[in-house]
Amino acid sequence: MDIAVLVKQSLDVQELRVDQDTGKIYIEDAPTKAGDIELNATEEAVRLKEKLGGKAIAIMLSTGGASGKRQKEAREALTRVLAMGLDGAVLIMGEGAEKGDTYVIAKALAEEIRDKFGLVLAAEGSEDNFSGLLPARLAAELGWPYVAYATAIEVEGDHVKVTRSLEDFEEVVRVKFPAVISVTQEINKPRVPKLVEIVKAKKKPLDQKDFSPPVEPKLTIRELKVPKVERKQIVIEGDVEEAAEKLIQALKEEGVL
Amino acid sequence: MKVLAFSHSMDLALELVSAGRELGDVSLLVTSDQEGRINEVKGAKEVLLCKGLDSGDQEGLVELISGLASDYEVVLLASDRRGRELVGQVAHRLGASSAVDVSSLSVEDGKLVVERMTFGGKAIAVEEMSLPAVISVQKGKFKPPEEGEPSVREVSAPSIERRVEVIERKEKPKVGVPLDKAEIVVAVGRGFRKKEDLKLAYELADVLGGVVGATRPVAADLKWMEEEVWIGISGVRIAPKLLIVVGASGQQQFAAGIMDSKVVVAVNTDSKAPIFEQADYGVVMDLYEFLPVLTKKLKEIKGG
């Protein structure tokens, strides 16, 4: 049975520059990457594929537009997960993909996944948007069961045992294949590929396909605003004793002590 | 607009009623395990009581909510983990638009407009949603209504084949005052060299009557603390009166989790750490030197 790993071309939010004064968000300038939790999903796929006896393939539907820069970055992100041990990758890209919402993307991904895979692994949320909507929608589109927030996955014959972490308790569920499972960062520690593995990854099959939206989106982003977080940013000077006293004084004046 | 609401947590369900009233009449779905708290529901038009379904049955809930939703324009769910798990599934079943963790919702020219945080807290997206829409509402943004007795109508449970079987459920250890309700929080980061040193943070929290939380590396990678105290976008989002961040650099995932704090203090040896941009008061010092002195002085004040 083959495993599909969903990898999103996410904005690297750490590197994203925003201007508090003008409200400008420099999206085009920010680099993109595979999300951290997607590396956990990849790691889990590499571990599980031995037990399931099939291949593990990364699938990326890029919504970053089709510029040369974004294309290069998308391929780099996929090389990264291929170097961790995935067998191949599918990159779906095209003009117009930027307007795709989770409804559109789920429909398009389902066409790529249905009949080809028995298990889909995803991150509980993407690096830049963290909604977790896509795997849930994909499961509904495929008509497969969905289990989110996995912290452990064990294969037991024709089903998997999934431990998942919820706010107040941990739950262990048994689910039959085919299924969609989203993982959390606690599930494993992603391996760091060696240079030789990165070199080899560049020779693995990377199948690039053109994207054309199968349906119209249900949601449009009207505006992106920079939140007004006004912090005083006062640096407390002095030696240890003075600093402690000044801080206590300031907190008293704030009325929080 | 007609609104259908549901949460696994009755406390969050009451917040959803309040959020839904911004849009129209609210019907709140209540499952068998929640029936005992039905009289706490105020401000909803009606309660839909399903005696044949427990809130632990996610597949049953997807089926039930998707079925009921045909009579409504908007479905509101909570932004806890199980609530968010339902949003995408229900939305897709309905061919509906979806958004999670929204902080505001309104109707403008017949269009449903919501706001939500994105890009790890660096931006707020204002989104126009087509109807029907399925939305999860950010926790703590809406106060439960205090008045208005709803009518109660029973609805029947769906009969479907379950493909996910719950075989075990383990309560997590309680961590005292939950972080998201604490008034004073001390957050610890990688600046602590070993687990035993965290006692410096606990001593500070003790004298302030606060609780200790952690950044992701401390909670998840090093496993020095329970996951439940992990502050950040995928952990707990906090809103204390006073937050003291010690030895954390201020990565974006963490920063997004502390945005609603009233006063933020940062202690870090690196004057260039991003945490200082997110703080009201910055102390550029070694936490091992500064914390004991701060704690001692606070003890003197509180003691006398």
Side-chain angles (χ1 to χ4, degrees):
Chain A
M1 182 198 297
D2 292 347
I3 306 170
V5 183
L6 303 188
V7 179
K8 180 178 176 185
Q9 181 171 25
S10 290
L11 283 184
D12 186 342
V13 293
Q14 202 64 42
E15 301 293 322
L16 176 65
R17 218 156 46 81
V18 300
D19 190 324
Q20 286 268 350
D21 300 325
T22 62
K24 187 156 170 51
I25 302 168
Y26 295 86
I27 292 175
E28 298 305 321
D29 297 347
T32 62
K33 62 171 205 171
D36 287 343
I37 312 178
E38 281 145 15
L39 301 185
N40 297 91
T42 301
E43 177 66 37
E44 203 60 21
V46 173
R47 289 180 190 192
L48 288 175
K49 74 170 185 172
E50 276 137 41
K51 296 202 178 97
L52 293 170
K55 287 181 176 167
I57 307 288
I59 301 189
M60 175 184 277
L61 199 163
S62 169
T63 52
S67 71
K69 177 190 170 196
R70 291 298 187 223
Q71 202 157 151
K72 183 167 168 275
E73 287 174 340
R75 296 179 84 93
E76 278 167 7
L78 288 171
T79 303
R80 165 107 202 247
V81 293
L82 285 170
M84 288 174 68
L86 296 185
D87 301 293
V90 177
L91 171 60
I92 309 165
M93 255 189 143
E95 296 293 344
E98 308 92 285
K99 290 197 180 69
D101 61 357
T102 52
Y103 173 70
V104 176
I105 306 298
K107 291 251 180 206
L109 281 175
E111 285 171 31
E112 202 53 50
I113 287 166
R114 202 190 319 267
D115 306 327
K116 290 187 202 150
F117 297 94
L119 175 65
V120 175
L121 293 179
E124 62 160 320
S126 65
E127 186 85 7
D128 52 4
N129 204 27
F130 208 81
S131 78
L133 285 167
L134 190 71
R137 278 191 179 269
L138 177 64
E141 177 69 24
L142 293 166
W144 296 0
Y146 176 52
V147 179
Y149 320 115
T151 55
I153 302 175
E154 272 174 75
V155 176
E156 294 181 337
D158 65 346
H159 62 259
V160 270
K161 210 168 90 178
V162 182
T163 306
R164 62 199 214 109
S165 170
L166 304 168
E167 277 89 353
D168 302 331
F169 52 85
E170 249 187 19
E171 200 172 71
V172 183
V173 300
R174 190 180 281 138
V175 57
K176 272 194 183 159
F177 296 118
V180 179
I181 300 174
S182 79
V183 307
T184 66
Q185 276 185 303
E186 290 79 64
I187 195 165
N188 55 38
K189 202 166 188 302
R191 67 193 70 189
V192 179
K194 297 189 189 77
L195 191 60
V196 55
E197 288 164 327
I198 296 169
V199 173
K200 277 205 290 199
K202 289 181 180 156
K203 292 182 186 123
K204 288 185 180 178
L206 198 164
D207 186 8
Q208 187 164 342
K209 300 182 176 183
D210 275 335
F211 174 73
S212 53
V215 284
E216 287 294 308
K218 300 279 181 190
L219 176 144
T220 50
I221 296 175
R222 181 195 276 185
E223 188 192 352
L224 287 165
K225 300 191 292 194
V226 179
K228 288 270 172 283
V229 185
E230 280 166 16
R231 294 292 177 198
K232 297 194 177 90
Q233 302 187 14
I234 296 169
V235 177
I236 309 254
E237 311 274 357
D239 62 25
V240 174
E241 294 277 332
E242 285 165 8
E245 273 166 24
K246 280 185 196 167
L247 178 61
I248 290 169
Q249 189 54 36
L251 295 180
K252 274 187 182 164
E253 282 164 21
E254 292 274 2
V256 293
L257 276 191
Chain B
M1 252 175 227
K2 287 178 74 185
V3 179
L4 173 65
F6 170 77
S7 172
H8 300 83
S9 147
M10 205 57 183
D11 294 334
L12 296 181
L14 301 177
E15 292 184 13
L16 294 181
V17 172
S18 167
R21 280 172 28 140
E22 309 262 311
L23 304 173
D25 286 338
V26 182
S27 300
L28 180 69
L29 173 64
V30 169
T31 48
S32 58
D33 52 310
Q34 300 176 326
E35 196 183 342
R37 294 184 64 183
I38 215 166
N39 54 6
E40 291 175 43
V41 180
K42 307 284 178 205
K45 182 165 177 284
E46 62 173 353
V47 165
L48 305 179
L49 174 62
C50 186
K51 287 186 174 173
L53 191 78
D54 181 273
S55 69
D57 180 357
Q58 290 288 85
E59 274 185 294
L61 281 168
V62 170
E63 191 71 27
L64 177 63
I65 296 169
S66 305
L68 292 170
S70 55
D71 294 333
Y72 299 86
E73 279 92 34
V74 178
V75 177
L76 292 185
L77 298 161
S79 281
D80 57 353
R81 288 189 156 195
R82 284 184 294 173
R84 292 203 322 258
E85 187 178 42
L86 294 176
V87 178
Q89 294 182 85
V90 172
H92 210 75
R93 288 275 292 269
L94 299 171
S97 62
S98 58
V100 300
D101 227 7
V102 312
S103 53
S104 82
L105 12 81
S106 59
V107 182
E108 291 172 29
D109 305 327
K111 284 198 178 108
L112 180 59
V113 179
V114 300
E115 292 195 352
R116 55 180 299 266
M117 198 175 83
T118 184
F119 299 155
K122 282 191 173 167
I124 293 166
V126 184
E127 300 177 332
E128 277 181 24
M129 305 180 73
S130 64
L131 299 177
V134 184
I135 294 168
S136 79
V137 177
Q138 193 187 333
K139 199 166 153 181
K141 285 282 163 181
F142 295 87
K143 272 213 165 64
E146 283 167 8
E147 281 174 42
E149 292 301 319
S151 59
V152 178
R153 173 160 67 94
E154 284 198 32
V155 294
S156 51
S159 69
I160 47 157
E161 187 204 339
R162 302 315 193 260
R163 297 162 303 178
V164 180
E165 181 197 353
V166 177
I167 49 182
E168 201 186 338
R169 203 167 268 173
K170 276 182 291 199
E171 292 277 325
K172 285 184 180 173
K174 293 268 182 286
V175 288
V177 180
L179 272 183
D180 56 353
K181 297 203 172 68
E183 295 234 304
I184 296 180
V185 175
V186 176
V188 298
R190 281 291 290 262
F192 286 84
R193 289 192 284 266
K194 54 186 196 294
K195 190 178 174 182
E196 292 68 43
D197 298 345
L198 295 177
K199 78 171 196 302
L200 295 173
Y202 282 103
E203 283 166 3
L204 175 59
D206 272 351
V207 65
L208 290 168
V211 296
V212 178
T215 62
R216 184 185 177 276
V218 170
D221 293 352
L222 302 174
K223 300 205 186 298
W224 286 353
M225 293 174 74
E226 297 290 328
E227 262 175 62
E228 282 64 46
V229 300
W230 164 13
I231 299 165
I233 200 160
S234 58
V236 185
R237 280 160 66 178
I238 59 171
K241 262 187 351 192
L242 172 62
L243 168 67
I244 303 180
V245 185
V246 186
S249 64
Q251 292 289 303
Q252 196 54 42
Q253 296 291 327
F254 174 77
I258 65 168
M259 277 181 8
D260 293 333
S261 307
K262 192 169 160 246
V263 176
V264 179
V265 176
V267 181
N268 198 305
T269 46
D270 177 9
S271 65
K272 293 197 177 63
I275 189 66
F276 288 117
E277 287 166 30
Q278 304 151 26
D280 295 293
Y281 300 97
V283 179
V284 186
M285 247 173 231
D286 185 349
L287 71 94
Y288 286 90
E289 287 173 21
F290 184 69
L291 283 205
V293 175
L294 179 63
T295 305
K296 184 171 143 274
K297 289 193 184 290
L298 284 166
K299 257 188 203 146
E300 286 166 12
I301 302 171
K302 300 268 172 177

